[in-house]
Amino acid sequence: MAARRLTGGRIAVHLAVLALVVIWTLPTLGLFISSLRDKDLLAVSGWWTALSSVERRDFARTGTAADQVERDGRYVIAGNLLEGRQGWTISRFGTKVSAPGEFAAGNPAPLPGGGEITVERDGDYAWTSAEPFTQDRGRRILFVAEAPPHFTIANYVEVLTSEGIGQSFVNSLTVALPATVIPILIAAFAAYAFSWMRFPGREPLFAVVVGLLVVPLQMSLIPLLRLYNDVGTAFGTESKGYVGIWLAHTGFGLPLAIYLLRNYIGSLPREIIESARVDGANHYRIFTRVVLPLSIPALASFAIFQFLWVWNDLLVAMVFLGKSEGQIVLTSRLRELLGSRGDNWEILTASAFVSIVVPLIVFFSLQRYFVRGLLAGSVKGG
Amino acid sequence: MLGQITSALIAVVVAVAAAAAYFAGSNWLLDRLVGGASPARDRAVGRIRPWLFAAPALLFLAVYLVYPVYETLRLSFFGRNGETFVGLANYAWAFGDGEFLESIRNNIVWLIVVPTLSTVFGLVIAVLTDRIWWGNIAKSLIFMPMAISFVGASVIWKFVYDYRSAESTQIGLLNAIVTGLGGEPEAWITLPFWNNLFLMAILVWIQTGFAMVILAAALRGIPEDTIEAARIDGAGELRIFWRIMVPQITGTILVVWTTITIIVLKVFDIVLAMTNGQWDTEVLANLMFDWMFRGGGDFGRGSTVAVFIMIAVIPIMVWNIRRFRAERRD
C-alpha cells in the first residue's frame, strides 16, 4: 500500500483503536489491580491511585514500663511506630482518637497520662517523663502518614480459604471436566452419520439439530427440574448432583457440537472416505481409524467452547446443583457474594478474578482453536 | 477436595469408556449378528448402522431439548404445580402483570440496543484493526471479555458503576470521571430506565469481540481486486466501506446480528447479578427464573414466560433452518 506514511488519517486510526482498547480493557484491569490492594485502601481510594503514595491513618502502640530507660534523670520509652511499615512517612500524630492529626511530626505533645511524646517523621518516638513509668500496656498513638504503593495477595488468601472460593473452584472443575468430555464422542459419531451415511430422515433430523441450536435453555428448565425430582424420588436419591448436571450440559451442548463437527467432518475430502470404502472398510472402521484422528482440531475447538460455556454458566448450575459447600460452583458463589458482601470489594474483586483466570488462560493459550470454532459455527460454509 | 477432582476424572474415564464400549460393542454385534451372510443382509447392516451412530446423540437431544419444549408448552396451560388445567389463565395473567409488561418493554430495548451496538462496534473495530500493525493485539484484547462469565463481567462493571455519596472519594471509575468533570455522582444502577442501558453496556462489552472476529474474517474474504479497483477509480475510504465492503458481507452481518439477538433474549445472569430485576430492570429470562422458584415455584407461570422467549426466537430459528437448507442445495 502506498499509504504507509503516517498521515493524519492513519494517526486517527491508531488513536481510535487505542481508545477502544483502553475502554475495553480498563474495567478488567481495574478489577485485577483492586484485588491486589489493601482492603482498607481499596474502600477509600480509586484503583487508579494504586501506584501513587497515599495518605493513610493508622495507629501503633508504644513500649511499656518494661522498656523504659533512665536518661539524665528522666525516664524514657523510645522506639519506632512504623515497625513493619516500610517506606511510610509520618506527617502528623495524635494521642486521642478524636484528633488523630493534632500535632505535627517532630513537635512534642503532652500525653494525658503524664509526660510528653515526640514522634519523628521516620516513626522514631521518645516518650519522656519525670516520674518512672508504671504502665504494663503500651499507649496507642495515632498518626497520619504517607504510605508508598503497596500490593498484597492477602485478599486472595482470604477468599480462597475463609470465603470458600477454593472449594468452589474445585466444584467448578468437577462440573466442567466431565461436562466437556462426555459430549465429544457422542457428537462426533452423530456428526459422521449426518455427513457420510445415508439414512431416511437425515436431512429433516439435521434441520431439527440446527433448530435446537437456538432453543432458549429456559424452555428446558422446568420440565427437567420436574423430571429430576421424579427420578430422585423414584430412586430415593438426591435430585441435585453432579451426575445430573454433567448429563444436562451434555444435552445442552450437543446441538452446537454436532453442528460444528458436521461442518468439519462433512468438508473432509470425499476421496478419503471412498478409498477406504473400496478397501472394504465399513463406516465404523473409517470413522475410528481415519475420520476421528483427522478431526482433532475440530474436537479441540468444540472442547474449548464447551469448557468455557460450562465454566461460565450460572443458570444451569443454579437449577441442577444444590447450594451446599460441596456443590456450589464459582459463578453461583460469586453471585451470592455480590448479595451478601456487596460492599467488600476486596472479596468481590479477588473472587471474581479467581473465577475468570481459568477461562482467560484457556482463551489466550488456545485462541486460535477458539476463533476457528467460532467461524465454523457461524459463517456460511465455514 | 482432591477426592472430588479424582471422582470427576474417574467420571470422565467411565463416561468415555462407556460411550466407546457402546459404539464398539453395538457395531461389533451388528456385524456379527446381521452382516456378512448375503448382500441383502449387508444392506440391512447399512440401514441400521447410521442409527447406532446417531442414537446416543438423538436420545440426549430428545430428553434434554425436544421433550422439554413440548412439556413447557403444555405446562403453560396448567396451574402452579402443573396438575390443574387452567386454559389460558397464565397468558391472561401475563398481560395484566406489571412485571411481565415491564420485562417485555425492557427486552425490546435490549433487543434494539445490544445487537446494534455490538455489531457496529465489531465492524468498526474489524475495519480499523485491519490497517495497523498491532491490530491483532488490539483484537485479542477486545475479544478477551468473551472468555469472562456474565457474573464475572457483572462484578467488573458493578465496580465501575460503584457509587459513594458526594462527600466521599469515588472508587468507581464512572463516578470518578463524572465528579472529575465537575458533575454529581450517581447511583447508576438504581436510576430507572437509564440503568437498563448500563446493564446493556456489559453485554455489548462482551459481544463486540464476537462480532469483530466474525466480521474481520468476512472482510478478509472480500476479493482484494474489487477494493483496489474502487481505489483506482478514486473512491474514498468511507465510500469503499459503504459501497464495496458492507454489501459484500451483509449475510455475515445478519448472522452476527441474529446470534447476538438470541443471546440477548436469554440474558439472565447480568440482570440477576446486578439488580435482580429491581429498579425497573426486569427481563423475561430473569422473570422466568424467578417464577420457577418464587413461593415454592409456579411452574405454570414460569413456563408461560419461557414460551414468550421461545416465540421471540422462532423467527430466527426458521430463518436459520431455511439458510441451512439453501446452503445444502448449493
Side-chain angles (χ1 to χ4, degrees):
Chain A
M1 260 196 284
R4 269 278 170 235
R5 280 167 296 124
L6 272 186
T7 60
R10 293 194 65 77
I11 292 173
V13 169
H14 280 279
L15 288 179
V17 175
L18 187 66
L20 287 163
V21 167
V22 167
I23 294 173
W24 251 261
T25 49
L26 218 51
T28 317
L29 188 69
L31 178 94
F32 178 60
I33 290 177
S34 297
S35 70
L36 291 171
R37 298 181 73 204
D38 278 341
K39 62 177 169 193
D40 38 348
L41 272 183
L42 183 54
V44 295
S45 62
W47 58 266
W48 49 91
T49 64
L51 280 176
S52 56
S53 53
V54 281
E55 191 185 85
R56 297 193 52 179
R57 286 150 196 277
D58 210 336
F59 68 88
R61 286 191 184 279
T62 64
T64 62
D67 301 321
Q68 64 185 314
V69 291
E70 203 184 335
R71 201 185 291 160
D72 306 334
R74 289 176 71 82
Y75 297 88
V76 180
I77 299 179
N80 192 302
L81 292 178
L82 292 179
E83 227 139 77
R85 294 186 182 85
Q86 278 213 336
W88 288 44
T89 322
I90 293 181
S91 55
R92 304 190 68 84
F93 70 98
T95 55
K96 296 194 284 280
V97 180
S98 54
E102 199 178 353
F103 309 102
N107 294 344
L111 268 175
E116 59 177 28
I117 186 165
T118 312
V119 178
E120 302 296 339
R121 293 180 63 80
D122 61 3
D124 281 342
Y125 70 88
W127 179 12
T128 60
S129 168
E131 310 294 318
F133 292 104
T134 53
Q135 295 92 331
D136 49 8
R137 209 174 157 187
R139 278 197 68 95
R140 197 156 71 146
I141 306 295
L142 303 104
F143 53 81
V144 181
E146 282 285 308
H150 179 235
F151 295 99
T152 167
I153 58 161
N155 300 332
Y156 285 95
V157 174
E158 183 176 357
V159 298
L160 286 176
T161 53
S162 52
E163 294 294 334
I165 291 292
Q167 175 66 45
S168 285
F169 189 93
V170 174
N171 296 346
S172 278
L173 267 185
T174 310
V175 172
L177 292 178
T180 303
V181 177
I182 296 173
I184 293 180
L185 203 55
I186 295 174
F189 269 96
Y192 180 83
F194 280 121
S195 309
W196 295 108
M197 298 167 99
R198 283 172 191 284
F199 58 96
R202 183 176 85 160
E203 294 301 309
L205 269 179
F206 195 73
V208 170
V209 172
V210 173
L212 290 178
L213 272 174
V214 296
V215 165
L217 272 189
Q218 280 79 9
M219 286 298 278
S220 287
L221 298 180
I222 290 177
L224 289 176
L225 188 68
R226 281 162 59 97
L227 181 70
Y228 274 35
N229 284 339
D230 290 347
V231 170
T233 322
F235 291 96
T237 54
E238 203 53 51
S239 62
K240 291 180 186 252
Y242 285 114
V243 176
I245 197 169
W246 293 334
L247 296 178
H249 275 307
T250 302
F252 299 148
L254 271 177
L256 182 67
I258 297 174
Y259 183 74
L260 279 182
L261 295 178
R262 198 211 66 113
N263 273 356
Y264 187 88
I265 293 175
S267 67
L268 292 173
R270 179 169 285 276
E271 299 78 49
I272 297 181
I273 284 93
E274 305 232 300
S275 67
R277 293 284 294 163
V278 170
D279 291 346
N282 65 28
H283 277 298
Y284 179 75
R285 283 184 69 89
I286 298 175
F287 176 74
T288 51
R289 300 290 160 82
V290 182
V291 172
L292 203 55
L294 284 174
S295 308
I296 299 289
L299 301 182
S301 285
F302 168 72
I304 295 165
F305 264 111
Q306 178 77 353
F307 180 82
L308 290 180
W309 202 87
V310 173
W311 183 274
N312 287 339
D313 160 77
L314 172 69
L315 183 57
V316 178
M318 284 182 78
V319 176
F320 295 108
L321 279 183
K323 289 191 169 168
S324 63
E325 272 301 303
Q327 289 192 358
I328 187 166
V329 294
L330 275 173
T331 46
S332 300
R333 175 88 70 174
L334 203 51
R335 131 136 186 87
E336 290 210 334
L337 289 176
L338 264 174
S340 62
R341 310 296 297 265
D343 268 333
N344 294 75
W345 281 111
E346 76 282 3
I347 288 173
L348 289 174
T349 53
S351 304
F353 199 77
V354 171
S355 86
I356 67 178
V357 73
V358 170
L360 285 185
I361 292 170
V362 169
F363 174 77
F364 277 116
S365 55
L366 302 169
Q367 197 170 11
R368 184 175 305 166
Y369 290 102
F370 185 66
V371 169
R372 197 181 294 161
L374 264 191
L375 293 175
S378 39
V379 177
K380 179 179 185 295
Chain B
M1 285 205 233
L2 258 182
Q4 205 178 316
I5 292 287
T6 316
S7 53
L9 290 175
I10 291 173
V12 168
V13 174
V14 168
V16 171
Y22 159 78
F23 286 116
S26 65
N27 280 283
W28 181 79
L29 275 180
L30 180 68
D31 290 330
R32 267 301 155 87
L33 298 182
V34 186
S38 68
R41 295 183 75 174
D42 275 344
R43 274 199 300 280
V45 168
R47 276 199 303 274
I48 296 171
R49 200 186 311 274
W51 297 103
L52 293 183
F53 273 43
L58 295 179
L59 183 72
F60 265 103
L61 292 178
V63 173
Y64 282 90
L65 289 163
V66 179
Y67 151 76
V69 167
Y70 156 77
E71 180 71 0
T72 296
L73 267 174
R74 191 184 72 82
L75 284 171
S76 73
F77 299 106
F78 282 75
R80 57 179 303 127
N81 52 13
E83 273 153 27
T84 30
F85 182 75
V86 296
L88 291 171
N90 289 324
Y91 291 87
W93 157 81
F95 285 110
D97 185 59
E99 250 180 330
F100 178 81
L101 297 174
E102 174 196 316
S103 307
I104 294 274
R105 182 204 72 176
N106 288 341
N107 263 104
I108 291 173
V109 183
W110 276 83
L111 283 175
I112 296 168
V113 173
V114 177
T116 312
L117 288 185
S118 306
T119 312
V120 169
F121 276 129
L123 185 55
V124 168
I125 294 169
V127 171
L128 293 183
T129 49
D130 212 26
R131 295 144 176 260
I132 54 178
W133 58 268
W134 51 286
N136 278 336
I137 302 168
K139 274 197 283 196
S140 203
L141 288 171
I142 289 173
F143 195 33
M144 180 192 68
M146 273 290 281
I148 296 175
S149 66
F150 286 3
V151 194
S154 298
V155 175
I156 290 175
W157 283 87
K158 208 166 188 181
F159 193 45
V160 172
Y161 297 149
D162 186 73
Y163 165 75
R164 302 282 149 122
S165 60
E167 305 88 61
S168 26
T169 320
Q170 301 297 327
I171 65 169
L173 187 59
L174 186 58
N175 271 321
I177 292 172
V178 167
T179 51
L181 296 173
E184 283 292 305
E186 290 277 4
W188 304 106
I189 59 173
T190 61
L191 220 62
F193 187 73
W194 300 106
N195 51 5
N196 282 299
L197 298 179
F198 290 110
L199 301 198
M200 292 173 206
I202 303 175
L203 196 54
V204 173
W205 180 70
I206 295 174
Q207 292 301 329
T208 295
F210 163 75
M212 174 197 74
V213 165
I214 306 287
L215 293 170
L219 285 173
R220 242 172 278 129
I222 298 177
E224 192 64 37
D225 44 345
T226 60
I227 297 173
E228 269 320 301
R231 250 191 214 120
I232 289 164
D233 289 349
E237 294 293 318
L238 265 181
R239 209 177 149 76
I240 292 177
F241 176 73
W242 284 113
R243 295 293 176 81
I244 312 280
M245 290 175 159
V246 172
Q248 294 202 52
I249 58 167
T250 313
T252 311
I253 291 178
L254 273 177
V255 170
V256 168
W257 196 296
T258 49
T259 307
I260 299 176
T261 300
I262 299 279
I263 293 165
V264 170
L265 277 169
K266 296 190 287 185
V267 69
F268 154 78
D269 321 34
I270 294 176
V271 175
L272 179 77
M274 295 291 284
T275 61
N276 195 10
Q278 288 170 283
W279 307 294
D280 301 347
T281 56
E282 191 66 279
V283 292
L284 288 175
N286 193 53
L287 187 67
M288 183 266 160
F289 185 81
D290 197 22
W291 277 108
M292 201 168 149
F293 294 108
R294 189 186 283 188
D298 187 327
F299 293 152
R301 288 179 178 180
S303 297
T304 307
V305 179
V307 167
F308 278 98
I309 304 176
M310 186 66 205
I311 290 172
V313 168
I314 284 176
I316 296 175
M317 187 191 248
V318 171
W319 182 71
N320 269 354
I321 294 175
R322 292 172 68 135
R323 198 166 53 95
F324 161 74
R325 296 210 139 155
E327 259 173 56
R328 294 291 282 172
R329 253 177 262 120
D330 286 348

